[in-house]
């Protein structure tokens, strides 16, 4: 057995625990909660909407423990690609990692596009007479700027991310503090009749929609797992960055949700003509500290939205790189920038798809867009990774596991139920849009693409069945501080 670690493909381990946690939290708490609080209230039909954020936190933590074990054991660039490649190679060759990259090239930039939609939505508070065309151009310009800033070395990006993390903390803290200065418990905790009636379908439809919105707001806790080849001491820092970021964001979201409901009447959030339905945080600041303070915090929220798109494309652009380097995706995606060592084509492609998704999202319903991207993600990533933890424990018992899931297999079972609820209720919460059918169609198209690709590359099922347990043969050891 060789003592050298698996190759990182030219990446350098320069990101420490604080920077890794900041990257995750910046991606998680972008524009998401500021635009989805009204969506959550609408889904539940009242201030009991806080249930959605609690449920989302439980699912995020359960799923985060899965990412923590896999990321610590298999700290390579690409995240899920590495995990699925290792777990499912024994029976289906490269099918599962290929399908993951196929879907990730769609759902990751779609998530980023919702952040850009939210950016333009809050910009509308500062520029209420902004036309749709101007909004489209601003969003496209923002995406171009993100790609330009990412076109540099990771050490510069890590420092920039820490600054944006501080701005994110400041923006949410100011909204929470402002809400606390004029908080009304009666407004926050007075529920409509039958709000908790569990026997009817209304509550459970609202719960499923709220869980979908909630987990969307927490997405990003896995960003550093995509950058496993660039994390210092990955066996320790990867799990900690995931768990710390989920717990931190959970506290922020609950304070933000409850505080907002204590200032703004929930019925205003469901009125499309009210500013609280599109820029609820700005409405809170205007209600408590006045228009000037609302303008300042809105600017900070815009920076936070920018940071979430920035960190999302930073991690997501690494996904196709490792797959291409291992001949599981189109080979040009294996090229790194000669000087700064980042995947050029992956970043450019996801930037373009983000732009297309933004234009689509600007002129459709944001909640439906969230349903569509979530259903695509559930099948090939979420459910497959739950299985991957168990498969790897059985297939690779000697794999070095610096972190093992707490209370295994309970978190896997909780995550399984949560993801199945989200997927099963997708069509009911998006009538006429058929997100389940679209996700199955995209998966089927991916299978066809795999067959064509496998034939051209002469790999299984048209070539030899290769099995490589490189992380067993060459474990990645954490650096030990002197």
């Amino acid at each position: 057995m060789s003592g050298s670690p698996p190759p990182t493909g030219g990446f350098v381990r320069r990101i420490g625990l604080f920077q890794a946690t900041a990257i995750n939290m910046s991606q998680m708490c972008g524009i998401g909660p500021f635009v989805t609080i009204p969506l959550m209230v609408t889904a539940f039909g009242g201030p009991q909407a806080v249930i959605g954020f609690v449920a989302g936190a439980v699912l995020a933590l359960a799923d985060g423990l899965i990412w923590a074990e896999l990321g610590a054991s298999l700290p390579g660039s690409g995240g899920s690609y590495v995990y699925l490649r290792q777990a499912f190679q024994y029976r289906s060759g490269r099918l599962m990692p290929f399908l993951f990259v196929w879907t990730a090239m769609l759902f990751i930039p779609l998530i980023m596009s919702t952040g850009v939609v939210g950016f333009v939505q809050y910009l509308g508070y500062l520029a209420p007479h902004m036309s749709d065309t101007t909004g489209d151009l601003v969003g496209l310009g923002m995406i171009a700027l993100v790609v330009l800033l990412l076109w540099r070395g990771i050490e510069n990006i890590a420092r920039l991310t820490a600054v944006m993390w501080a701005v994110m903390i400041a923006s949410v803290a100011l909204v929470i503090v402002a809400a606390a200065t004029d908080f009304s418990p009666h407004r926050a905790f007075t529920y409509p009749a039958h709000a908790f009636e569990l026997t009817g379908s209304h509550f459970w439809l609202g719960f499923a929609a709220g869980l979908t919105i909630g987990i969307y707001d927490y997405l990003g806790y896995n960003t550093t797992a995509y950058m496993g080849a660039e994390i210092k001491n990955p066996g320790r820092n990867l799990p900690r960055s995931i768990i710390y970021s989920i717990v931190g964001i959970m506290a922020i979201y609950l304070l933000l949700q409850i505080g907002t409901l204590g200032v703004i009447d929930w019925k205003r959030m469901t009125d499309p003509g009210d500013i609280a339905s599109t820029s609820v945080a700005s409405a809170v600041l205007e209600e408590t500290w006045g228009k000037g303070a609302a303008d300042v915090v809105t600017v900070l929220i815009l920076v936070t939205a920018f940071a979430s798109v920035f960190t999302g494309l930073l991690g997501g652009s690494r996904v196709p790189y490792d797959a291409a380097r291992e001949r599981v995706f189109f080979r040009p995606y294996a090229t790194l920038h000669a000087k700064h060592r980042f995947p050029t084509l992956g970043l450019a492609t996801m930037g373009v798809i983000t732009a297309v998704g933004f234009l689509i999202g600007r002129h459709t319903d944001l909640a439906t867009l969230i349903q569509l991207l979530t259903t695509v993600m559930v099948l090939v990533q979420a459910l497959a990774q739950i299985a991957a933890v168990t498969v790897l424990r059985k297939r690779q018992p000697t794999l070095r596991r610096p972190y093992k899931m707490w209370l295994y297999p309970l978190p896997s079972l909780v995550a399984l139920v949560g993801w199945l609820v989200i997927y099963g209720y997708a069509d009911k919460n998006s009538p006429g849009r058929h997100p389940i059918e679209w996700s199955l169609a995209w998966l089927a198209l991916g299978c066809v693409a795999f067959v064509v690709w496998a034939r051209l590359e002469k790999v299984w099922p048209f070539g030899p069945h290769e099995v490589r347990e490189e992380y067993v043969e060459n474990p990645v050891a954490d650096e030990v501080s002197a």
Side-chain angles (χ1 to χ4, degrees):
M1 180 179 296
S2 171
S4 60
T8 61
F11 287 129
V12 180
R13 297 192 183 278
R14 292 173 173 165
I15 300 177
L17 176 59
F18 173 77
Q19 292 168 330
T21 305
I23 287 172
N24 282 347
M25 292 183 71
S26 296
Q27 170 58 14
M28 294 167 73
C29 189
I31 196 70
F34 297 117
V35 296
T36 57
I37 286 176
L39 297 180
M40 190 78 82
V41 171
T42 301
F44 277 91
Q48 70 273 23
V50 70
I51 295 173
F53 282 113
V54 174
V58 172
L59 176 54
L61 188 57
D63 195 58
L65 295 181
I66 294 170
W67 280 90
E69 177 168 328
L70 293 172
S73 305
L74 309 167
S77 63
S80 294
Y81 160 75
V82 177
Y83 316 149
L84 301 185
R85 184 191 71 204
Q86 287 294 305
F88 296 103
Q89 62 181 323
Y90 302 96
R91 292 187 179 275
S92 57
R94 303 178 186 181
L95 173 63
M96 288 302 294
F98 180 93
L99 288 178
F100 166 72
V101 178
W102 174 265
T103 55
M105 292 292 287
L106 178 66
F107 73 72
I108 290 176
L110 283 184
I111 293 172
M112 298 308 101
S113 69
T114 63
V116 185
V117 170
F119 179 93
V120 175
Q121 193 169 302
Y122 263 80
L123 186 61
Y125 178 80
L126 299 177
H129 302 297
M130 180 176 61
S131 67
D132 288 344
T133 300
T134 301
D136 291 346
L137 292 175
V138 167
L140 293 175
M142 171 188 170
I143 296 168
L145 179 58
V146 167
V147 173
L148 180 63
L149 289 175
L150 287 172
W151 212 268
R152 60 187 61 223
I154 189 66
E155 66 277 7
N156 298 320
I157 290 172
R159 288 192 291 268
L160 183 59
T161 299
V163 173
M164 290 191 291
W165 176 83
V167 174
M168 179 271 292
I169 292 295
S171 63
V172 295
L174 285 170
V175 176
I176 291 170
V177 171
T181 61
D182 193 27
F183 182 78
S184 168
H186 176 76
R187 189 180 293 119
F189 301 114
T190 299
Y191 307 105
H194 312 297
F196 300 101
E197 190 173 284
L198 306 182
T199 56
S201 61
H202 178 75
F203 176 86
W204 294 109
L205 283 172
F207 178 84
L211 181 60
T212 304
I213 295 168
I215 195 61
Y216 161 78
D217 282 330
Y218 284 97
L219 289 178
Y221 54 84
N222 51 12
T223 301
T224 49
Y226 290 125
M227 305 168 63
E230 299 166 87
I231 305 295
K232 297 177 182 177
N233 302 334
R236 289 176 291 178
N237 289 340
L238 255 176
R240 290 178 181 181
S241 71
I242 291 170
I243 295 168
Y244 291 172
S245 60
I246 292 173
V247 173
I249 291 296
M250 176 178 64
I252 289 172
Y253 281 179
L254 291 179
L255 290 172
L256 195 62
Q257 171 80 43
I258 295 172
T260 299
L261 287 168
V263 175
I264 303 296
D265 186 279
W266 68 269
K267 294 179 182 178
R268 289 183 57 191
M269 301 185 198
T270 63
D271 180 3
D274 196 302
I275 191 65
S277 67
T278 56
S279 306
V280 67
S282 302
V284 168
L285 266 296
E286 184 174 325
E287 190 78 19
T288 55
W289 293 351
K291 184 67 165 62
D295 289 345
V296 171
V297 173
T298 300
V299 172
L300 294 181
I301 291 173
L302 293 176
V303 175
T304 299
F306 184 91
S308 72
V309 177
F310 181 90
T311 52
L313 287 179
L314 168 64
S317 63
R318 270 65 177 167
V319 173
Y321 166 76
D322 205 50
R325 189 167 60 90
E326 296 290 334
R327 292 179 56 234
V328 184
F329 204 60
F330 304 105
R331 297 189 184 188
Y333 284 90
T335 303
L336 290 178
H337 191 279
K339 179 180 178 182
H340 298 304
R341 313 303 293 170
F342 66 88
T344 53
L345 188 56
L347 176 58
T349 301
M350 287 199 173
V352 170
I353 297 175
T354 300
V356 174
F358 160 71
L359 292 175
I360 294 173
R362 274 275 290 166
H363 304 286
T364 60
D365 179 61
L366 182 59
T368 299
L369 184 59
I370 292 172
Q371 290 278 2
L372 288 169
L373 68 87
T374 305
T375 52
V376 171
M377 181 187 70
V378 166
L379 289 178
V380 181
Q381 183 182 59
L383 298 184
Q385 285 194 175
I386 294 171
V389 170
T390 300
V391 170
L392 284 170
R393 286 195 177 202
K394 292 181 178 179
R395 289 283 193 174
Q396 299 185 14
T398 61
L399 177 66
R400 182 175 180 272
R401 292 178 171 85
Y403 168 82
K404 297 185 74 172
M405 183 193 301
W406 302 331
L407 302 176
Y408 175 84
L410 182 59
S412 291
L413 295 175
V414 172
L416 177 64
V417 172
W419 289 119
L420 288 177
V421 167
I422 287 174
Y423 193 80
Y425 278 83
D427 274 354
K428 294 181 180 179
N429 284 312
S430 297
R433 302 297 176 89
H434 309 293
I436 291 179
E437 287 82 351
W438 279 109
S439 68
L440 292 174
W442 185 254
L443 182 62
L445 186 60
C447 290
V448 172
F450 172 78
V451 171
V452 174
W453 172 86
R455 181 75 183 212
L456 294 173
E457 292 285 343
K458 295 182 172 59
V459 299
W460 182 92
F462 303 103
H465 193 156
E466 302 175 0
V467 174
R468 295 188 303 146
E469 297 179 340
E470 60 259 41
Y471 286 87
V472 173
E473 299 167 358
N474 301 298
V476 175
D478 285 345
E479 301 95 338
V480 179
S481 298

